[in-house]
Amino acid sequence: MSNLEPTLPLEGFTGDWPDFSLVENFLGELVSLAVAQDEEIAFNKAFKKTFGKTPPKPSEIIAVKGGYAMWSSIGQYFILLDEPNIEADRELASKFGNSAYTTLQSDGWTSLDLKSKKPYDILERFIPLDLRAAQIGFAARTMAHHIAVVIIKFSETEFRLMTPRSSAKSFLDGLTHTIENVIA
Amino acid sequence: MRYSAFRIAIEALKGHKGWKPVWRKPEPKPDYDIIIIGGGGHGLATAHYLASKFNQKRIAVLEKGWIGGGNVGRNTTIIRSNYLLHGNEGFYEFSLKLWEGLEQDVNYNAMVSQRGVLNLYHSDPQRDAYARRGNAMILNGADAKLLDSAAVRKMYPFLNFDDARFPIQGGLLQPRGGTVRHDAVAWGYAHAADKNGVDIIENCEVTGFKIEQGRCIGVETTRGYIGATKVGVAVAGNSSRVMAMAGMQLPLESHVLQAFVSEGLKPLIDGVITYGAGHFYVSQSDKGGLVFGGDIDGYNSYAQRGNLPVIEDVCEGGMSLMPNIGKARILRMWGGIVDMSMDGSPIIDKTHIEGLYFNGGWCYGGFKATPASGYAFAHLITTDMPHKTAQAYRMDRFARGLMIDEKGQGAQPNLH
Amino acid sequence: MSLIDINNPLNFTFDGKAHSGFEGDTLASALLRSGVRIVGRSFKYHRPRGIMGAGAEEPNALVEIHEGNVCEPNRRATTIKLFEGLTAKSQNHMGSVNFDFLAINDILHPFLAAGFYYKTFMWPKAFWEKLYEPIIRCAAGLGKLALTPDPDSYDKGFLHCEFLIIGAGPSGLLTALNLGRAGKQVILVDEDFHMGGRILSENYEINSDGGIKWVTEALNELENLPTVRLLLRTTIYGVFDHGIYGGLETRTDKIGAPGPRQILWKINAKHAVLAAGATERPIAFANNDRPGVMLASAVRSYKNRFGIDLKNTALLTNNDNGMLTEANHIIDIRNGHHITDVNGRKGVTSVTLNTGEKLKADYVAISGGWNPNVHLTCHKRARPIWNDTLSCFVPDGNTLSSDMSVIGAAKGTFSTHGAFRDANKVSEKLGCKTIPLPKTEDRPIDVKAFWHVKGTKRAWVDFQNDVTAKDIILAHQEGFSSVEHVKRYTTLGMATDQGKTSNVVGLAVLAEATNQTIPQTGTTIFRPPYTPVPIGAFAGSHRGQHFKQIRLTPSHKYASENNATFVETGYWKRAQWFSRAGEQGWRDSVDREVIMTRKSVGICDVTTLGKIDVQGRDAGKFLNKVYVNTFSTLKVGKCRYGLMLREDGIAMDDGTTARLSDTHFVMTTTTAKAGPVFKHLEFARQCLYPNMDVHLISTTDQWAQFSIAGPNARKLLQKIVDPDFDISNEAFPYMACGELTVCGGTRARLFRLSFSGELAYEISVPARYGDALIREMMSQGEEFDAIMYGTEALGVMRIEKGHAAGNELNGTTTATALGLGGFVSKKKDCIGKVLSRREGLISDDSMTMVGFLPVKQGDKLTNGAHFISKGETAKALNDQGYMSSVAWSPTLETYIGLGFLKNGKNRKDEVLSAVDFVRHNHVDVKVVSPHFVDPKGERLRV
Amino acid sequence: MIINHPLLGPRDSSEFSYLGDAALLNRPSAKSETATDDFYRYQYLRDNPPGEHRELWYHEHGDRSWLVITRNMTTHAITKVELARDVKRAMIEASKS
């Protein structure tokens, strides 16, 4: 076992405000899966076998065996795994054989979970997309306060915001500033 | 009619009954020696210098709308000669020298005001790049000073020195840079050209070139055919559209550049300040409005209007540089269409069609170039040789690999 | 029934004097109630000015509110909701507002006609800047801006709806009810702090009851409709492409209130209903700018909404709507009467009529007809058209795009019944059932066009900027006959009210002067913003430290604990150097870092370098296209330096790319170009070679990466890398790479690369272990005196080694100029290859990178100096090149420089002058090889 | 501006960055005898029409796709949005037949 201690980008931030809670969660692992050219059939088969589902459609995140799968760009998916496993990319690579290329992405992102009965009061001041109209299971990459963000709608009260690790502090500053402005 | 304080006093006592039009409204003649297409700053300046310095006669300026309605009337009024590359710097310094004598030359007060142009730097590499530029300016006979942060603070103590994401380390100052009352430049050149017999014909849109055996012999217009021995085109913003009528494809894209004016405020900023860590530059007009701008919108456009992302970007830059301007309100915003060239520098050259000359590609910097552009274009049209300060502005420089790329961004106009 | 709560008095001060008003007042209504007549001075002549309007059109009543760093200039008193403790001041005067010394301008007015300044101040030449302009500038502007940072907070937000209804007067409210009941997603906005529009200011009945009752009921219902959102005090200031509406919501004008002062909303609406009402316009006649001259509609607002009776009023009207105003004297233009002069320098005392009659009056209410508020249709590129019957510009249905409907007074429907009818019509068009039309007045406006009473005295058109009818006529006389010329020459419509009351009158005066109809003369086009918007609101929270994001490296915390000074590198903060006790300045620290690294071992965080995963069967082939050199032949387990060109043949970026497997490459880019290179690669992948099997993903943030350099680098690494992995020189030679584990099983990648010229490696671990790894390495390195070095030492070592970096890859240099021409593969095409062979880029005279040493030992070199051949004058013609990088080399104990020199490769040992005017540093330099340290590259291979 | 992404639906243009004329998809062959001139035209000359314009945008802050957008340069009206990859593939197919 490694004698190096892992650290979370925001050192495990938690924030509680009346009506809102924001928690930096432990992500598990995040692996990107790129479909090899002309290997869609084999890929879909392997995907079904590995995750028990067909791959998600654009703007979609679905629950799969072991976590979630999210469409991230054309021919590319983000797999969010519940359990830590730093070999996840290699293991997935072996399951998909020649049909996909994997890249470990867990450390590139910071993940914040927003829970609230009225999340849109915050989100309409932060995220440019129409999240009220979005379906449950909506996932998209956009910008908030000029910083990249993946926004995921798990339910009408639970959202996840993922943002690049290096700028996570600035992102959190922006988000908490918004929350405080809304509460005021 | 000659303008002076004395004349104003006389007219005031006579109830201003004696003032004559600043320029005549002549009917087009059947033909001219020289036709300049475009009654903007550059076109009118060209006509003025053709008539006054190059002894040309029978000149007309054709304008599709009202004169000065293009970019000379829609810019942020800055003049400066603080370029890095010799292909540019000599030309812009020539321009600045012409600005310095403009009002006496045209007998019209365009309020040339040399209050200093300061470009801020925020990092060592930026400082060194400005040192290289300042030295290039001086090698070309211009003036430049490299200031440290203390010197900048002395000039503008209200800038953000204490809470800046990108702290101000200093600036490159050109004391001779400044501002000019932009509309008055068009009117002044029109006034002077008109006095020398130039026909300024408004509401006369060129709809085609008459080209016979490789030679341009006149233009079709909304007011009929007009013959010409030589035709000069100075229609920046619409260059591609006009030159397409002569069958030419240009190394240009049209882009929209927005500018902003705030409500009138008591004097705050004396000179021109350009932020080095964001897209924002600002000066204050003699009426008190903050005149400011930033980056182009970034996509091809012929619409004289811009969109929100750039407005926000400019104001973010403004607030981060001058955190006291939060409550200054934007009164007007507008967009001008600029010719963005492939290397960010202009073109003043002959075309492959005999008798047809082209002047364009001024990017967002055409205003300050107005006098030299007119002068160099007049020189080219008269002598068929480029003016010594405009020798780099050739059409074939892209094919030959002789780009004049100040920003080093390559053939992508929206990055210049 | 007014909307004033007399049980809720509010104290405020104006020009230092205490006053009180009531909840529901605006500052203007409270001032009127307090009997204040002069509230400011005009821009040019400094004439006394009173309140003229009751809303956003107000040209006169501009005040500063608050003081010190929260001072806000140029606020319209008519749109400030009164609150307890408000302090307000009049502006634009020298002395007090009642005795303004600059009123001398009014006496001098014959000399200050439109455009006078263009004709004088030219002699002597120097006097413009030295004398005239300073005087003009001194008098410029209106209110004062604070010199200290704006302490208020501004927020932004994003809203999405099917229907945006702009204006909550009768037509807007009814439309909202119709659409809201049908369950449509509706946002209803109004700039006022009370919805209801003109209903609040008039006294007609709706459904046989007071209009305000109907408004109250409508609002009650709307507030309870689940799909309707109401935004009060929200101005739609602009319409942008594709249905984006800019809204500015003012939450508070109070100081120290929690939360944002204003919110800038970006509203995406599929359809907009413009119900923005209309603005009454004045008539130009002599001295019509006296305090007490008001718009008739404003007089009614103050009476009906605010409960203020403006006693002894004379009404001048050209239409029936104006007749609604209660007045002591009615002067109806339609009967041939009009006012020829207004008397009373500091406030109306009487008016003189064309009959010669003189009527005593304290107020003059003017109604010159109404201008529909077509502004937002203009933002959508529609051109308003002239309606002769209504005597105003109305929106043109033909040029307005189909995603905006205009109803009510904004369309020229001036009766309340008509407004309701418009609302129902548009609701039906939008697919909703409608409620029965409320019963109310349906009076025709019956207007007779009348603009200007001709005479010898000045008649104001633009009140704030002091543009009179005479000025417009003079402009025409001087040839400024296009509307745009008139505006620019006279400043008509350029004031803070943006010509809301003046543009159409000005156009009409011009039309009279030119003997043309109004439509022949021109139209008035409105550009955003509808009313001025604070710069702070557009900036939102992006100011100060939050202007742009901050990116932190994995070792940031460790570096902060170890006295690092940080430097901005793009958005990154990188350690620039690490100071230690006893060091006198940054140079000491940097020299130590260089010396210690070259002597033993140093570690630098290089995470900021862009990292891109390039995978696929065609990854090698793909890299051949984007790099000048060949990568398809690179062996697994090896790295290669790569140079990338733009398509125009200029160097774009460089870096090393490692091959981890047959189908897997890891590319590094420079820190600055990580984003642009990724975009460029995606362009090549999707737009040029879409059939290649190649996949890209950025892993910059995924891997924490450190450079370990110096003769003891391997020894240190051997303590970190798990023993299963052999990293000896034989097993892991220069340019090797591999995946391995460190510190007891942590996954890692190791690359044997050198930027410093020393034996060096780059090691990367998943970023979660970055902090732990740097601590572990520094602790394991203690026995070697391992140090961390920052970007300065990194820079010094790369200059010593002669590596080109950002200063050299400046977007204008070719591979040849950088001395990297040999890398360009002759066997294959790549992006940029063809155009890199143009004559101007390969001529003998083109610039080449060389090294420079001072001729005189100890002379300081400066970056940005230009080179002049010895004996030549320093001028542009003789310029031979420039210095691009300079460092003090602690290794060689001299300044060293890299730079570009014309025909540099053939000028070795030549002595040149390096001239640096802006730093006053001219030194003689000798041209040398750019490789100052270990030119043969022996040290990095040991 | 709003760009109606073919896969993701309407997105604000601030998520995208602009490159230029879609003719940039048409990279010339380096093997041709006129390669230098072909590349000069490809890299530098633009039609820049006042009306409809096919142009390349990159969804930089979204899914990283390159799009070919048909947009009127005078009104900014967007009439078509395609994936650049598909457009280029079709061009390659067409050049084969």
Side-chain angles (χ1 to χ4, degrees), chain B residues 16 86 109 113 135 165 305 329-330 398 400, chain C residues 110 118 133 379 533 568 838 840 879 917:
Chain B
H16 298 286
H86 297 314
N109 185 2
S113 181
N135 288 324
R165 174 75 181 84
R305 50 179 276 158
R329 286 183 291 271
I330 294 181
F398 303 101
R400 298 177 59 206
Chain C
Y118 298 126
E133 192 182 38
H379 297 188
V533 181
E568 312 302 328
R838 283 175 290 170
D879 192 3
F917 298 98

PDB file of all heavy atoms in Angstrom, chain B residues 16 86 109 113 135 165 305 329-330 398 400, chain C residues 110 118 133 379 533 568 838 840 879 917:
ATOM      1  N   HIS B  16     -25.783  84.742 -35.875  1.00  0.00           N
ATOM      2  CA  HIS B  16     -25.278  83.535 -36.555  1.00  0.00           C
ATOM      3  C   HIS B  16     -25.896  83.350 -37.937  1.00  0.00           C
ATOM      4  O   HIS B  16     -26.041  82.237 -38.417  1.00  0.00           O
ATOM      5  CB  HIS B  16     -25.510  82.292 -35.687  1.00  0.00           C
ATOM      6  CG  HIS B  16     -24.776  82.349 -34.382  1.00  0.00           C
ATOM      7  ND1 HIS B  16     -23.431  82.172 -34.278  1.00  0.00           N
ATOM      8  CD2 HIS B  16     -25.209  82.600 -33.127  1.00  0.00           C
ATOM      9  CE1 HIS B  16     -23.045  82.297 -33.005  1.00  0.00           C
ATOM     10  NE2 HIS B  16     -24.123  82.571 -32.280  1.00  0.00           N
ATOM     11  N   HIS B  86       8.679  47.763 -37.115  1.00  0.00           N
ATOM     12  CA  HIS B  86       9.052  48.936 -37.900  1.00  0.00           C
ATOM     13  C   HIS B  86       8.089  49.174 -39.052  1.00  0.00           C
ATOM     14  O   HIS B  86       7.838  50.314 -39.420  1.00  0.00           O
ATOM     15  CB  HIS B  86      10.474  48.788 -38.421  1.00  0.00           C
ATOM     16  CG  HIS B  86      11.489  48.718 -37.309  1.00  0.00           C
ATOM     17  ND1 HIS B  86      11.464  49.576 -36.244  1.00  0.00           N
ATOM     18  CD2 HIS B  86      12.529  47.878 -37.086  1.00  0.00           C
ATOM     19  CE1 HIS B  86      12.457  49.281 -35.415  1.00  0.00           C
ATOM     20  NE2 HIS B  86      13.107  48.247 -35.894  1.00  0.00           N
ATOM     21  N   ASN B 109     -11.187  72.942 -35.553  1.00  0.00           N
ATOM     22  CA  ASN B 109     -10.666  72.457 -34.275  1.00  0.00           C
ATOM     23  C   ASN B 109     -11.181  71.047 -33.987  1.00  0.00           C
ATOM     24  O   ASN B 109     -12.334  70.863 -33.612  1.00  0.00           O
ATOM     25  CB  ASN B 109     -11.068  73.399 -33.141  1.00  0.00           C
ATOM     26  CG  ASN B 109     -10.442  72.986 -31.820  1.00  0.00           C
ATOM     27  OD1 ASN B 109      -9.673  72.016 -31.768  1.00  0.00           O
ATOM     28  ND2 ASN B 109     -10.760  73.706 -30.761  1.00  0.00           N
ATOM     29  N   SER B 113      -5.609  66.348 -28.587  1.00  0.00           N
ATOM     30  CA  SER B 113      -5.245  66.569 -27.199  1.00  0.00           C
ATOM     31  C   SER B 113      -4.265  65.497 -26.769  1.00  0.00           C
ATOM     32  O   SER B 113      -4.624  64.346 -26.582  1.00  0.00           O
ATOM     33  CB  SER B 113      -6.539  66.514 -26.378  1.00  0.00           C
ATOM     34  OG  SER B 113      -6.256  66.752 -25.043  1.00  0.00           O
ATOM     35  N   ASN B 135      11.596  50.844 -27.196  1.00  0.00           N
ATOM     36  CA  ASN B 135      12.849  51.081 -27.927  1.00  0.00           C
ATOM     37  C   ASN B 135      12.587  51.186 -29.425  1.00  0.00           C
ATOM     38  O   ASN B 135      13.193  52.021 -30.103  1.00  0.00           O
ATOM     39  CB  ASN B 135      13.857  49.983 -27.618  1.00  0.00           C
ATOM     40  CG  ASN B 135      14.413  50.104 -26.199  1.00  0.00           C
ATOM     41  OD1 ASN B 135      14.602  51.206 -25.705  1.00  0.00           O
ATOM     42  ND2 ASN B 135      14.652  48.969 -25.546  1.00  0.00           N
ATOM     43  N   ARG B 165      -6.003  41.096  -8.973  1.00  0.00           N
ATOM     44  CA  ARG B 165      -5.669  39.727  -9.374  1.00  0.00           C
ATOM     45  C   ARG B 165      -4.338  39.733 -10.130  1.00  0.00           C
ATOM     46  O   ARG B 165      -3.525  38.841  -9.956  1.00  0.00           O
ATOM     47  CB  ARG B 165      -6.813  39.195 -10.246  1.00  0.00           C
ATOM     48  CG  ARG B 165      -6.590  37.849 -10.888  1.00  0.00           C
ATOM     49  CD  ARG B 165      -6.727  36.727  -9.897  1.00  0.00           C
ATOM     50  NE  ARG B 165      -6.492  35.453 -10.559  1.00  0.00           N
ATOM     51  CZ  ARG B 165      -5.286  34.930 -10.762  1.00  0.00           C
ATOM     52  NH1 ARG B 165      -4.209  35.572 -10.358  1.00  0.00           N
ATOM     53  NH2 ARG B 165      -5.140  33.763 -11.377  1.00  0.00           N
ATOM     54  N   ARG B 305     -23.687  46.241 -34.304  1.00  0.00           N
ATOM     55  CA  ARG B 305     -24.153  46.015 -32.942  1.00  0.00           C
ATOM     56  C   ARG B 305     -23.438  44.798 -32.390  1.00  0.00           C
ATOM     57  O   ARG B 305     -23.085  43.893 -33.132  1.00  0.00           O
ATOM     58  CB  ARG B 305     -25.655  45.772 -32.909  1.00  0.00           C
ATOM     59  CG  ARG B 305     -26.100  44.721 -33.920  1.00  0.00           C
ATOM     60  CD  ARG B 305     -27.583  44.468 -33.859  1.00  0.00           C
ATOM     61  NE  ARG B 305     -27.906  43.509 -32.820  1.00  0.00           N
ATOM     62  CZ  ARG B 305     -29.100  43.415 -32.262  1.00  0.00           C
ATOM     63  NH1 ARG B 305     -30.057  44.208 -32.628  1.00  0.00           N
ATOM     64  NH2 ARG B 305     -29.338  42.519 -31.338  1.00  0.00           N
ATOM     65  N   ARG B 329     -22.431  54.821 -15.077  1.00  0.00           N
ATOM     66  CA  ARG B 329     -23.354  54.041 -15.907  1.00  0.00           C
ATOM     67  C   ARG B 329     -23.054  54.176 -17.393  1.00  0.00           C
ATOM     68  O   ARG B 329     -22.703  55.262 -17.875  1.00  0.00           O
ATOM     69  CB  ARG B 329     -24.786  54.475 -15.617  1.00  0.00           C
ATOM     70  CG  ARG B 329     -25.300  53.964 -14.275  1.00  0.00           C
ATOM     71  CD  ARG B 329     -26.738  54.357 -14.044  1.00  0.00           C
ATOM     72  NE  ARG B 329     -26.856  55.782 -13.849  1.00  0.00           N
ATOM     73  CZ  ARG B 329     -26.761  56.384 -12.658  1.00  0.00           C
ATOM     74  NH1 ARG B 329     -26.587  55.664 -11.573  1.00  0.00           N
ATOM     75  NH2 ARG B 329     -26.857  57.690 -12.561  1.00  0.00           N
ATOM     76  N   ILE B 330     -23.225  53.078 -18.086  1.00  0.00           N
ATOM     77  CA  ILE B 330     -23.047  53.095 -19.539  1.00  0.00           C
ATOM     78  C   ILE B 330     -24.264  53.770 -20.162  1.00  0.00           C
ATOM     79  O   ILE B 330     -25.397  53.356 -19.956  1.00  0.00           O
ATOM     80  CB  ILE B 330     -22.890  51.678 -20.098  1.00  0.00           C
ATOM     81  CG1 ILE B 330     -21.593  51.062 -19.583  1.00  0.00           C
ATOM     82  CG2 ILE B 330     -22.922  51.692 -21.620  1.00  0.00           C
ATOM     83  CD1 ILE B 330     -21.348  49.673 -20.110  1.00  0.00           C
ATOM     84  N   PHE B 398       1.410  38.559 -47.769  1.00  0.00           N
ATOM     85  CA  PHE B 398       1.009  37.254 -47.233  1.00  0.00           C
ATOM     86  C   PHE B 398       1.556  36.127 -48.093  1.00  0.00           C
ATOM     87  O   PHE B 398       2.047  35.125 -47.593  1.00  0.00           O
ATOM     88  CB  PHE B 398      -0.515  37.183 -47.132  1.00  0.00           C
ATOM     89  CG  PHE B 398      -1.088  38.279 -46.285  1.00  0.00           C
ATOM     90  CD1 PHE B 398      -1.657  39.407 -46.860  1.00  0.00           C
ATOM     91  CD2 PHE B 398      -1.016  38.208 -44.903  1.00  0.00           C
ATOM     92  CE1 PHE B 398      -2.162  40.430 -46.081  1.00  0.00           C
ATOM     93  CE2 PHE B 398      -1.519  39.230 -44.105  1.00  0.00           C
ATOM     94  CZ  PHE B 398      -2.094  40.350 -44.702  1.00  0.00           C
ATOM     95  N   ARG B 400       4.154  36.320 -49.800  1.00  0.00           N
ATOM     96  CA  ARG B 400       5.620  36.315 -49.724  1.00  0.00           C
ATOM     97  C   ARG B 400       6.153  36.027 -48.326  1.00  0.00           C
ATOM     98  O   ARG B 400       7.360  35.929 -48.133  1.00  0.00           O
ATOM     99  CB  ARG B 400       6.167  37.651 -50.243  1.00  0.00           C
ATOM    100  CG  ARG B 400       5.816  37.896 -51.715  1.00  0.00           C
ATOM    101  CD  ARG B 400       6.297  39.253 -52.169  1.00  0.00           C
ATOM    102  NE  ARG B 400       7.737  39.386 -52.007  1.00  0.00           N
ATOM    103  CZ  ARG B 400       8.365  40.537 -51.847  1.00  0.00           C
ATOM    104  NH1 ARG B 400       7.681  41.660 -51.811  1.00  0.00           N
ATOM    105  NH2 ARG B 400       9.677  40.568 -51.714  1.00  0.00           N
TER     106      ARG B 400
ATOM    107  N   PRO C 110     -24.709  83.830 -26.692  1.00  0.00           N
ATOM    108  CA  PRO C 110     -24.587  84.112 -28.131  1.00  0.00           C
ATOM    109  C   PRO C 110     -23.252  83.624 -28.701  1.00  0.00           C
ATOM    110  O   PRO C 110     -23.145  83.321 -29.885  1.00  0.00           O
ATOM    111  CB  PRO C 110     -24.685  85.639 -28.196  1.00  0.00           C
ATOM    112  CG  PRO C 110     -25.424  86.026 -26.958  1.00  0.00           C
ATOM    113  CD  PRO C 110     -24.987  85.040 -25.912  1.00  0.00           C
ATOM    114  N   TYR C 118     -15.599  74.086 -32.527  1.00  0.00           N
ATOM    115  CA  TYR C 118     -14.873  73.557 -33.691  1.00  0.00           C
ATOM    116  C   TYR C 118     -14.215  74.677 -34.493  1.00  0.00           C
ATOM    117  O   TYR C 118     -13.370  74.433 -35.336  1.00  0.00           O
ATOM    118  CB  TYR C 118     -15.831  72.804 -34.621  1.00  0.00           C
ATOM    119  CG  TYR C 118     -16.475  71.597 -33.964  1.00  0.00           C
ATOM    120  CD1 TYR C 118     -17.860  71.460 -33.941  1.00  0.00           C
ATOM    121  CD2 TYR C 118     -15.688  70.613 -33.399  1.00  0.00           C
ATOM    122  CE1 TYR C 118     -18.444  70.356 -33.349  1.00  0.00           C
ATOM    123  CE2 TYR C 118     -16.273  69.512 -32.806  1.00  0.00           C
ATOM    124  CZ  TYR C 118     -17.647  69.387 -32.780  1.00  0.00           C
ATOM    125  OH  TYR C 118     -18.223  68.295 -32.196  1.00  0.00           O
ATOM    126  N   GLU C 133      -8.494  73.854 -23.372  1.00  0.00           N
ATOM    127  CA  GLU C 133      -9.059  72.552 -23.023  1.00  0.00           C
ATOM    128  C   GLU C 133      -9.163  72.345 -21.508  1.00  0.00           C
ATOM    129  O   GLU C 133     -10.173  71.865 -21.024  1.00  0.00           O
ATOM    130  CB  GLU C 133      -8.270  71.416 -23.671  1.00  0.00           C
ATOM    131  CG  GLU C 133      -9.023  70.106 -23.565  1.00  0.00           C
ATOM    132  CD  GLU C 133      -8.273  68.919 -24.142  1.00  0.00           C
ATOM    133  OE1 GLU C 133      -7.044  68.872 -23.969  1.00  0.00           O
ATOM    134  OE2 GLU C 133      -8.921  68.073 -24.751  1.00  0.00           O
ATOM    135  N   HIS C 379     -33.691  47.730 -30.982  1.00  0.00           N
ATOM    136  CA  HIS C 379     -32.603  46.814 -30.628  1.00  0.00           C
ATOM    137  C   HIS C 379     -32.706  45.540 -31.444  1.00  0.00           C
ATOM    138  O   HIS C 379     -31.721  44.851 -31.657  1.00  0.00           O
ATOM    139  CB  HIS C 379     -32.669  46.444 -29.133  1.00  0.00           C
ATOM    140  CG  HIS C 379     -32.486  47.608 -28.210  1.00  0.00           C
ATOM    141  ND1 HIS C 379     -32.356  47.454 -26.854  1.00  0.00           N
ATOM    142  CD2 HIS C 379     -32.399  48.945 -28.443  1.00  0.00           C
ATOM    143  CE1 HIS C 379     -32.211  48.656 -26.282  1.00  0.00           C
ATOM    144  NE2 HIS C 379     -32.250  49.559 -27.227  1.00  0.00           N
ATOM    145  N   VAL C 533     -26.837  51.765 -17.623  1.00  0.00           N
ATOM    146  CA  VAL C 533     -26.596  50.609 -16.748  1.00  0.00           C
ATOM    147  C   VAL C 533     -25.225  50.756 -16.097  1.00  0.00           C
ATOM    148  O   VAL C 533     -24.239  51.043 -16.782  1.00  0.00           O
ATOM    149  CB  VAL C 533     -26.629  49.296 -17.569  1.00  0.00           C
ATOM    150  CG1 VAL C 533     -26.398  48.092 -16.668  1.00  0.00           C
ATOM    151  CG2 VAL C 533     -27.953  49.160 -18.295  1.00  0.00           C
ATOM    152  N   GLU C 568       2.128  35.216 -11.234  1.00  0.00           N
ATOM    153  CA  GLU C 568       0.999  34.866 -12.098  1.00  0.00           C
ATOM    154  C   GLU C 568       1.552  34.352 -13.419  1.00  0.00           C
ATOM    155  O   GLU C 568       2.308  35.027 -14.097  1.00  0.00           O
ATOM    156  CB  GLU C 568       0.142  36.102 -12.396  1.00  0.00           C
ATOM    157  CG  GLU C 568      -0.230  36.936 -11.186  1.00  0.00           C
ATOM    158  CD  GLU C 568      -0.989  36.155 -10.136  1.00  0.00           C
ATOM    159  OE1 GLU C 568      -1.741  35.228 -10.521  1.00  0.00           O
ATOM    160  OE2 GLU C 568      -0.828  36.437  -8.943  1.00  0.00           O
ATOM    161  N   ARG C 838       7.927  30.150 -47.418  1.00  0.00           N
ATOM    162  CA  ARG C 838       7.801  31.403 -48.175  1.00  0.00           C
ATOM    163  C   ARG C 838       9.077  32.227 -48.069  1.00  0.00           C
ATOM    164  O   ARG C 838       9.751  32.219 -47.027  1.00  0.00           O
ATOM    165  CB  ARG C 838       6.595  32.207 -47.645  1.00  0.00           C
ATOM    166  CG  ARG C 838       5.278  31.651 -48.133  1.00  0.00           C
ATOM    167  CD  ARG C 838       4.120  32.379 -47.488  1.00  0.00           C
ATOM    168  NE  ARG C 838       4.013  32.066 -46.070  1.00  0.00           N
ATOM    169  CZ  ARG C 838       3.209  32.705 -45.216  1.00  0.00           C
ATOM    170  NH1 ARG C 838       2.467  33.706 -45.659  1.00  0.00           N
ATOM    171  NH2 ARG C 838       3.155  32.357 -43.952  1.00  0.00           N
ATOM    172  N   GLY C 840       9.899  35.272 -47.514  1.00  0.00           N
ATOM    173  CA  GLY C 840      10.129  36.198 -46.405  1.00  0.00           C
ATOM    174  C   GLY C 840      10.532  35.495 -45.125  1.00  0.00           C
ATOM    175  O   GLY C 840      11.072  36.114 -44.212  1.00  0.00           O
ATOM    176  N   ASP C 879      18.269  48.758 -37.422  1.00  0.00           N
ATOM    177  CA  ASP C 879      17.931  47.806 -36.361  1.00  0.00           C
ATOM    178  C   ASP C 879      18.272  46.384 -36.820  1.00  0.00           C
ATOM    179  O   ASP C 879      17.866  45.954 -37.893  1.00  0.00           O
ATOM    180  CB  ASP C 879      16.430  47.925 -36.050  1.00  0.00           C
ATOM    181  CG  ASP C 879      16.057  47.193 -34.776  1.00  0.00           C
ATOM    182  OD1 ASP C 879      16.955  46.655 -34.109  1.00  0.00           O
ATOM    183  OD2 ASP C 879      14.855  47.157 -34.463  1.00  0.00           O
ATOM    184  N   PHE C 917      16.843  52.297 -24.763  1.00  0.00           N
ATOM    185  CA  PHE C 917      16.572  53.711 -24.426  1.00  0.00           C
ATOM    186  C   PHE C 917      15.655  53.822 -23.218  1.00  0.00           C
ATOM    187  O   PHE C 917      15.845  54.672 -22.379  1.00  0.00           O
ATOM    188  CB  PHE C 917      15.901  54.411 -25.620  1.00  0.00           C
ATOM    189  CG  PHE C 917      16.750  54.455 -26.840  1.00  0.00           C
ATOM    190  CD1 PHE C 917      16.578  53.527 -27.854  1.00  0.00           C
ATOM    191  CD2 PHE C 917      17.725  55.439 -26.968  1.00  0.00           C
ATOM    192  CE1 PHE C 917      17.364  53.580 -28.993  1.00  0.00           C
ATOM    193  CE2 PHE C 917      18.511  55.491 -28.104  1.00  0.00           C
ATOM    194  CZ  PHE C 917      18.335  54.556 -29.121  1.00  0.00           C
TER     195      PHE C 917
END
